[in-house]
Amino acid sequence: MLDRARKTWSTWRKRAARREERRRDEAQAAPGPPRSAAGPRRTPNLFEAAAAYVAACAEDDQERVDEAVSWVDPNALAFGVNELACRALIALARERDESPRTVARSLLGLPAG
């Protein structure tokens, strides 16, 4: 399980670095925000990106993972994923009428602490 997480994290970081490099190159080549024929494109916010990223990871859809990763800065995405995890854990704990700590340990297969 940890090997898969490490591999996903490593892949994600490498792609994020390539994306950042590509953004810098594009910014130097053509200053100003990119515009489509229909006008400015709305950029998804970090919570939309986090939701899309986590859902794609859960469904093992690498194409959607790559798309979601490209929407926001890697640090913003990490914050969004963390926020989503916290909110999901709290909701699940309320549903089960247990503490968030107990639910988190249960989801990870750890003994009750």
Side-chain angles (χ1 to χ4, degrees):
M1 183 171 149
L2 288 177
D3 289 335
R4 183 176 177 196
R6 285 186 190 114
K7 181 180 177 189
T8 300
W9 177 253
S10 175
T11 302
W12 181 65
R13 292 298 300 163
K14 288 175 186 173
R15 288 184 181 149
R18 277 187 253 144
R19 242 188 347 277
E20 185 61 34
E21 185 176 312
R22 197 173 338 130
R23 284 182 193 156
R24 277 193 300 253
D25 292 344
E26 289 172 359
Q28 290 173 352
R35 296 189 182 262
S36 66
R41 184 175 151 221
R42 185 179 89 70
T43 304
N45 69 33
L46 70 100
F47 295 114
E48 290 171 325
Y53 177 81
V54 170
C57 285
E59 296 168 358
D60 200 26
D61 186 345
Q62 191 61 44
E63 186 176 313
R64 285 183 32 222
V65 166
D66 295 341
E67 180 183 357
V69 167
S70 71
W71 291 346
V72 294
D73 177 70
N75 291 331
L77 183 60
F79 172 79
V81 168
N82 182 55
E83 187 66 23
L84 177 60
C86 290
R87 291 179 187 192
L89 185 63
I90 290 169
L92 192 55
R94 287 179 181 158
E95 184 178 294
R96 292 183 178 184
D97 197 30
E98 296 177 352
S99 74
R101 179 185 172 145
T102 302
V103 172
R105 294 183 68 80
S106 170
L107 289 172
L108 294 171
L110 300 172

